[in-house]
Amino acid sequence: MHGVNKKNGELYLDDTSLSDLAISFGTPSYVYSASLIKDNFLEYKDSMRINDKVCFAVKSNSNIAVLKLLNSLGSGFDVVSGNELKRCLVAGADPKNIVFSGVGKTKEEIKLAVESDIFSINIESESELERIIKIVEEAGRKVNCAIRVNPDISAESHPYITTGLKTSKFGVTSQVALTMSKRIQEIENVNLIGLACHIGSQITKLELILDSLDHLTELANEINKESNNIEFIDIGGGLGITYRDEDSANAKDIMTKVLDRIKDLNFDLVVEPGRSITGNAGVLLSQVEYIKETEATNFAIVDAGMNDLIRPSLYSAWHKVSAVRDLEVLEKKYEIVGPVCESADSLAKDRALKIEEGSVIAIHDVGAYGNAMASNYNTRLRPPEIMVDGSDVQIIKRRETFEELISFEDIDHEN
Ligand code: LLP
């Protein structure tokens, strides 16, 4: 069994008991199923053609062991910072499988991308293009790039994760892209080989992805009439998963529809999925420290907080919560809260659970944007990450220590 499953009243990830993991590694801890990450990736990869690329969105889960696993399966990578690019290189990725998106690339980040000879820099503004031109001319190197187009299509998900509207900071309009393509034609060292977009995340309506695809292919055909240089279309990531009861399409269905739509066109396809590869493959284990019953609410105060998993506080995201072992105690409705000194530090509301102080709970579907967004707020140590594959268990990031945390500071400071 790949992913979370229940046997004899006990929750497992693959064939590994979550209670056992909590005992071995302590809580809070992130645990990922390598086999489910692999299944999710192959849904994409197996439905695509030989020159198409699946570029995993590193921001969703940037653990080097996860990147190595995906690299071994033939994944490319979508990075949004120089340090994410460096992570991929450490993981052994071929730079020719890396795309670099992001509205604020610094000179150093662009230099790194140019020197690493990556597949494509996805340019997000005219100023960025001018910066790239200057850098390649100074360095006497060539670069391949794509223009990120903003198709003005809503992802129809949470406003914080909708990125393809004209009011958003991402990409440029088709008109600006046309102007940029003309400018690039004048520059020998910059090749425009692609058009990209990413309209947002947790998309459940497939037509939105197809609409943005049409937008890009139309523009690519127009650009190619003049200069004939667009080779690939990058439709970004964004495919939603089922956290609660959302309809989530599987990757194979959407890829089949996308490829069918471009079958008569001569473009390679690039996709940048994050959530739909690692999201459902991760759980966060946490222990109930206290049960606090008040007139209004039963609180289960647990040892994971908004610093470990910010999605519920930041996006009002709903994550399933289960006890890792069935207990013979009365079922009650709880609000699951963390120890952080903020009222927003609430992980889940109104959950019927059979738990007591000392119980271990699993917060589901946190393999994407879970640990990747964790912080040290309240001087809390970020949790370890563990990878299971069947019954094989590996620690892929150890828990931080207090000494490490303060080592960046001037501890001998004198006034
Ligand atoms: N490509 C680009 C250019 C992106 O900005 C993103 C995500 C992706 C690909 C991957 O999207 P995915 O397949 O994972 O939906 N922290 C938020 C999600 C932010 C997404 C940012 N961009 C959350 O926890 O829901």
Side-chain angles (χ1 to χ4, degrees), residues 192-210:
L192 178 65
I193 60 164
L195 288 184
C197 79
H198 170 78
I199 59 166
S201 211
Q202 188 55 15
I203 300 169
T204 52
K205 288 193 185 151
L206 299 188
E207 318 85 79
L208 301 172
I209 295 178
L210 295 174

Side-chain angles (χ1 to χ4, degrees), residues 44 55-57 59-60 78-80 101-102 122 124 148 160-161 163 170 197-198 200-203 234 236-240 243 271-277 310-311 314-315 317 368-370 373:
Y44 280 97
C55 291
F56 173 66
K59 66 173 80 70
S60 63
D78 162 49
V79 300
V80 289
S101 319
N122 292 355
E124 306 226 9
R148 177 164 173 187
Y160 289 6
I161 53 175
T163 49
F170 299 99
C197 79
H198 170 78
S201 211
Q202 188 55 15
I203 300 169
D234 175 350
L239 196 62
Y243 287 103
V271 287
E272 304 170 358
R275 188 190 315 268
S276 50
I277 290 188
I310 201 171
R311 301 196 73 256
L314 188 58
Y315 314 115
Y369 308 109
M373 295 178 82

Side-chain angles (χ1 to χ4, degrees), residues 52-70:
D52 298 333
K53 286 187 197 300
V54 186
C55 291
F56 173 66
V58 173
K59 66 173 80 70
S60 63
N61 187 324
S62 51
N63 187 294
I64 289 170
V66 171
L67 304 183
K68 280 190 170 183
L69 168 68
L70 289 166

Side-chain angles (χ1 to χ4, degrees), residues 48-55 96-97 99 119 146 193-196 213 216-217 220-221 224 229-236 255 258-259 262-271:
M48 293 174 78
R49 305 160 306 182
I50 185 103
N51 286 328
D52 298 333
K53 286 187 197 300
V54 186
C55 291
K96 279 291 164 221
N97 285 328
V99 297
F119 179 63
I193 60 164
L195 288 184
L213 173 68
L216 290 191
T217 52
N221 284 333
N224 280 354
N229 44 18
I230 305 288
E231 297 164 12
F232 75 87
I233 297 289
D234 175 350
I235 56 170
M255 284 307 110
V258 165
L259 288 171
I262 57 170
K263 67 178 186 300
D264 299 327
L265 303 172
N266 202 12
F267 297 121
D268 296 332
L269 182 70
V270 175
V271 287

Side-chain angles (χ1 to χ4, degrees), residues 152-164:
D152 196 20
I153 295 171
S154 166
E156 298 187 17
S157 56
H158 192 281
Y160 289 6
I161 53 175
T162 272
T163 49

Side-chain angles (χ1 to χ4, degrees), residues 83-241:
N83 287 341
E84 283 193 355
L85 172 52
K86 287 185 193 166
R87 272 184 183 274
C88 293
L89 300 178
V90 170
D94 178 352
K96 279 291 164 221
N97 285 328
I98 298 178
V99 297
F100 191 169
S101 319
V103 292
K105 301 178 195 81
T106 63
K107 287 183 192 143
E108 289 65 35
E109 288 176 322
I110 293 172
K111 273 189 203 147
L112 176 68
V114 170
E115 279 159 14
S116 309
D117 201 18
I118 66 169
F119 179 63
S120 170
I121 300 185
N122 292 355
I123 309 176
E124 306 226 9
S125 66
E126 290 178 280
S127 300
E128 185 188 335
L129 172 58
E130 292 311 316
R131 183 175 269 188
I132 292 172
I133 293 172
K134 199 154 176 261
I135 288 171
V136 290
E137 286 183 344
E138 275 168 14
R141 301 192 65 134
K142 282 191 187 301
V143 73
N144 288 333
C145 63
I147 300 173
R148 177 164 173 187
V149 178
N150 181 329
D152 196 20
I153 295 171
S154 166
E156 298 187 17
S157 56
H158 192 281
Y160 289 6
I161 53 175
T162 272
T163 49
L165 283 175
K166 65 175 174 219
T167 48
S168 112
K169 69 177 175 180
F170 299 99
V172 297
T173 61
S174 296
Q175 239 160 356
V176 174
L178 274 172
T179 312
M180 286 167 75
S181 74
K182 292 196 177 99
R183 171 80 176 117
I184 295 171
Q185 271 180 53
E186 299 165 1
I187 311 294
E188 211 190 307
N189 290 358
V190 180
N191 295 323
L192 178 65
I193 60 164
L195 288 184
C197 79
H198 170 78
I199 59 166
S201 211
Q202 188 55 15
I203 300 169
T204 52
K205 288 193 185 151
L206 299 188
E207 318 85 79
L208 301 172
I209 295 178
L210 295 174
D211 288 350
S212 44
L213 173 68
D214 292 345
H215 193 95
L216 290 191
T217 52
E218 238 168 74
L219 183 61
N221 284 333
E222 198 172 333
I223 292 175
N224 280 354
K225 263 188 231 154
E226 292 202 9
S227 56
N228 197 30
N229 44 18
I230 305 288
E231 297 164 12
F232 75 87
I233 297 289
D234 175 350
I235 56 170
L239 196 62
I241 62 171

